[in-house]
Amino acid sequence: MSLLDAPPTSAPRTVARVALGAILVFAGISHLTYAREEFVAQVPDWFPVADDPVVVVSGVVEIGLGAALIAFGRGRIGIGLLAAAFFVAVFPGNIAQYAEHTDAFGLDTDRARFIRLFFQPVLVVWALWSTAAWRDRPSRRPRP
């Protein structure tokens, strides 16, 4: 088995994978349209790239990851690992929103921004579990 030819998973994992994909597509579209200003506000001041291109690129990445989660069940392992890595990569932005007291998406208190920090690891676990990426990843050990 490789990253591109994974066997099917259980129905609950498949439903969770497709749901995560749909959420990512929706979030990506919102990056590019009606919620763009909210996402621009979340880009940390210290990030070395202009805010708007960061929001556009992250939106396109979310749409691509979401569509891939929905459409490519046989490639689910690699896509799950990429989605988990994406969620880890954007986590510093969530920390910056808390540390810099940035209001966005109704997160207008430090408590709300702090509570949000606990949801990013949930997304990482969701990506890994729903795709069985950790369980079914190719082994590096030689087979007897």
Side-chain angles (χ1 to χ4, degrees), residues 19-33:
L20 181 59
I23 289 167
L24 280 169
V25 168
F26 177 78
I29 291 169
S30 70
H31 273 69
L32 305 177
T33 58

Side-chain angles (χ1 to χ4, degrees), residues 6-139:
T9 59
S10 66
R13 284 183 195 262
T14 300
V15 169
R17 176 178 50 83
V18 171
L20 181 59
I23 289 167
L24 280 169
V25 168
F26 177 78
I29 291 169
S30 70
H31 273 69
L32 305 177
T33 58
Y34 68 92
R36 195 161 176 167
E37 287 183 32
E38 296 284 334
F39 283 107
V40 165
Q42 290 185 303
V43 178
D45 294 335
W46 51 261
F47 198 71
V49 180
D51 297 352
D52 198 53
V54 168
V55 171
V56 170
V57 169
S58 64
V60 170
V61 169
E62 285 183 338
I63 292 168
L65 283 172
L69 282 167
I70 293 167
F72 301 116
R74 300 277 296 178
R76 66 178 166 72
I77 296 171
I79 297 163
L81 293 170
L82 284 173
F86 176 78
F87 293 136
V88 170
V90 299
F91 190 58
N94 297 344
I95 294 170
Q97 183 182 11
Y98 170 70
E100 297 169 5
H101 314 286
T102 304
D103 294 345
F105 296 109
L107 301 173
D108 55 0
T109 66
D110 284 342
R111 179 182 174 162
R113 289 184 285 267
F114 182 73
I115 290 170
R116 178 185 182 212
L117 296 177
F118 293 97
F119 288 96
Q120 204 71 12
V122 171
L123 291 172
V124 172
V125 170
W126 187 353
L128 295 174
W129 180 83
S130 69
T131 61
W134 192 255
R135 181 193 73 187
D136 292 346
R137 71 194 185 284
S139 175

